[in-house]
Amino acid sequence: MSYNFAYSFGNDDFSIGMVVFWMVYLLAMLVLSVVLYVLRSLGLYSIAKNRGIRHPWLSWIPVADSYLLGCVSDQYQYVVKGRNKSKRKIMLVLSIVLCALYVVFFANFAGMFSKIISGVLHSHAMETILPSIFGTLMRILILMLPMLGVAIAQMVLHYMAMYDLYSSCSPQNNVLYLVLSILFRVTEPFFIFFNRNRENGMPPRRPDPQSIPSQQEPWDN
């Protein structure tokens, strides 16, 4: 009588290792995202508050933070260069439009995916669901064109505003900060946070806004 025992553990160990690796990776990315969000929001909040810009708490709200960044840029342009810009309004509109396009995009994508899953689960012939899937796919592809255009416009205005922010804080390093922010987006929150109390590119501070009559500034309406 012969006995044969077979036990394989290599594949199981590899699978467990991969699961652990991805869990640690996703957790690390989540922690990093939270840290970057806090640094950027706190830095932008401090800059806006120090310069008397209304509603500095908008820095903590996605989409609305683009408006606050535009306010910082418009203030710099007006106070230092005498230009009355409306970058804050354009940036806010672009951010809202881009978010709406993202919602429509993912809604269509989720709908197409659900149709495929439903067809597989109910053993429907691909010929019956293919026209619907193809139509949704065409809408997704067409939607990508305006999404790309709005995203590019938003990115250009974002970095223009960031250049003004860096120029107002540390004009001697503004180009360096901007280039690094473009090449390595992860550095931007650190630059904003570490420069939050610097105003080397701004003129001497006016009297405390609390001590003068309330007035609507060109960058704050």
Side-chain angles (χ1 to χ4, degrees), residues 35-36 38-47 50-51 162 165-166 169-170 172-173 177 186-200:
V35 170
L36 294 179
V38 171
L39 289 178
R40 185 182 188 280
S41 299
L42 184 58
L44 187 57
Y45 172 86
S46 300
I47 292 173
N50 292 340
R51 299 180 187 180
M162 287 304 304
L165 184 148
Y166 292 147
C169 296
S170 182
Q172 67 275 17
N173 297 315
Y177 288 158
V186 70
T187 62
E188 181 179 299
F190 291 97
F191 292 147
I192 295 176
F193 180 79
F194 290 123
N195 286 282
R196 66 190 185 281
N197 295 318
R198 295 180 180 176
E199 298 184 355
N200 298 336

Side-chain angles (χ1 to χ4, degrees), residues 97-138:
V97 171
L98 187 60
C99 284
L101 290 174
Y102 276 137
V103 170
V104 176
F105 175 85
F106 285 111
N108 278 273
F109 187 83
M112 182 183 67
F113 188 73
S114 65
K115 290 175 183 178
I116 296 175
I117 297 298
S118 177
V120 172
L121 292 177
H122 294 87
S123 301
H124 292 159
M126 288 301 297
E127 292 79 4
T128 61
I129 62 175
L130 192 59
S132 178
I133 295 176
F134 181 75
T136 304
L137 182 60
M138 288 302 299

Side-chain angles (χ1 to χ4, degrees), residues 57-166:
W57 48 266
L58 291 175
S59 65
W60 297 95
I61 303 177
V63 178
D65 62 339
S66 63
Y67 174 83
L68 189 63
L69 176 59
C71 288
V72 173
S73 173
D74 289 342
Q75 182 191 57
Y76 172 78
Q77 288 287 330
Y78 181 80
V79 172
V80 176
K81 300 185 178 181
R83 301 171 182 171
N84 193 350
K85 300 289 186 178
S86 296
K87 197 175 298 169
R88 62 198 181 281
K89 298 177 181 178
I90 301 175
M91 291 178 66
L92 178 61
V93 170
L94 288 176
S95 295
I96 293 174
V97 171
L98 187 60
C99 284
L101 290 174
Y102 276 137
V103 170
V104 176
F105 175 85
F106 285 111
N108 278 273
F109 187 83
M112 182 183 67
F113 188 73
S114 65
K115 290 175 183 178
I116 296 175
I117 297 298
S118 177
V120 172
L121 292 177
H122 294 87
S123 301
H124 292 159
M126 288 301 297
E127 292 79 4
T128 61
I129 62 175
L130 192 59
S132 178
I133 295 176
F134 181 75
T136 304
L137 182 60
M138 288 302 299
R139 288 196 298 270
I140 292 175
L141 293 176
I142 293 174
L143 191 62
M144 290 178 65
L145 295 177
M147 282 180 57
L148 180 61
V150 175
I152 292 175
Q154 184 196 45
M155 181 178 63
V156 171
L157 283 177
H158 173 83
Y159 285 119
M160 290 175 62
M162 287 304 304
Y163 180 77
D164 289 338
L165 184 148
Y166 292 147

